[in-house]
Amino acid sequence: MSQKYDKEFKIQTVKMIQEQGKPVAQVARELGISDNTLYRWMAEYKKDGAQAFPGSGQLKADDKAMRDLQKRLRDLEEENDILKKAMHYFAKDRR
């Protein structure tokens, strides 16, 4: 299972690499993290700045809205299926 690191740890690690000029490989060895993980953190921090690393508890507003809409769609589809089955059930009784 992969280790979970919080947002503050990731930002401090990226800043340490940038500000102290330490090689990524050295920091990776010191922290027991793969080089690729650190490069990914650096790219995400460079792209998103303070908004990087939102974590599962801090979804971006658009992501949360999309998940809410998808859940609503699933619920409505389920309700629609139930109503269709009920319609067929009651239509059989009328014959």
Side-chain angles (χ1 to χ4, degrees):
M1 185 190 315
S2 64
Q3 174 71 34
K4 301 286 183 187
Y5 300 98
D6 66 355
K7 178 178 182 170
E8 192 61 36
F9 177 81
K10 292 176 183 180
I11 290 174
Q12 287 177 353
T13 303
V14 170
K15 285 184 177 181
M16 180 173 60
I17 293 168
Q18 291 174 341
E19 293 170 1
Q20 295 179 9
K22 286 188 170 184
V24 172
Q26 178 185 346
V27 174
R29 276 191 309 275
E30 290 173 0
L31 298 176
I33 301 171
S34 77
D35 296 7
N36 290 337
T37 299
L38 292 183
Y39 282 119
R40 186 171 31 86
W41 290 357
M42 291 174 63
E44 188 173 342
Y45 186 76
K46 182 177 180 180
K47 178 181 160 225
D48 297 331
Q51 302 303 318
F53 320 118
S56 60
Q58 304 171 352
L59 293 176
K60 294 179 183 174
D62 292 342
D63 293 343
K64 182 169 180 1
M66 180 61 80
R67 290 183 205 275
D68 290 344
L69 289 172
Q70 288 171 339
K71 182 183 182 321
R72 178 77 174 135
L73 178 62
R74 282 191 308 272
D75 291 346
L76 290 172
E77 287 173 342
E78 183 178 349
E79 289 176 17
N80 197 23
D81 288 341
I82 291 169
L83 290 172
K84 284 181 183 178
K85 289 176 183 176
M87 183 181 71
H88 287 294
Y89 175 78
F90 289 115
K92 279 195 310 189
D93 288 347
R94 296 186 92 189
R95 292 183 194 174

